[in-house]
Each structure stands twice: as structure tokens, then as C-alpha cells.
Amino acid sequence: MKLIPLNKQSKKAQKKYHARSRRDWNGLKPTTRVVKSKKVYDRKKMQKPTIEQE
């Protein structure tokens, strides 16, 4: 079997090669594992209740 350089292969063959070499996440979605920055303002975050004095 002849070895053909990757850049000479068809786009479909290149895609298949790169898909094989990628890591498998076993059903996990890596985008859901991102931790949000604490410095970013969040409207939904509970705000401290104000104490009204009479």
C-alpha cells in the first residue's frame, strides 16, 4: 500500500484521518464544563436583600 501525503489526499480522507486522531470525550460535552469568571456581572445572581429601618 502506497503512503500518500496528507495534503495530497482528498478532503474526505483528511477529515477521516483527523477524526480518528481526535480524543473521545465518552459522551461528555466539554463546553458544559467551562467555569464562568467570577468577575463578570450576572443579573440572575441573587442580590443581598436591603434591610428597611423604621
Side-chain angles (χ1 to χ4, degrees):
M1 185 174 175
K2 285 186 179 180
L3 289 178
I4 302 169
L6 191 61
N7 60 351
K8 295 273 186 169
Q9 294 179 12
S10 67
K11 298 290 180 186
K12 193 182 263 187
Q14 289 178 18
K15 190 174 180 180
K16 191 174 182 179
Y17 171 80
H18 289 298
R20 232 182 323 147
S21 65
R22 275 192 214 106
R23 193 173 146 212
D24 185 22
W25 286 89
N26 295 326
L28 294 177
K29 294 180 182 178
T31 54
T32 59
R33 301 290 186 253
V34 176
V35 179
K36 291 184 179 179
S37 174
K38 302 256 185 207
K39 294 181 180 181
V40 177
Y41 176 74
D42 186 14
R43 285 177 191 262
K44 296 177 183 177
K45 189 176 179 181
M46 291 281 293
Q47 295 182 2
K48 294 180 183 178
T50 58
I51 301 172
E52 295 181 14
Q53 295 179 358
E54 292 182 19

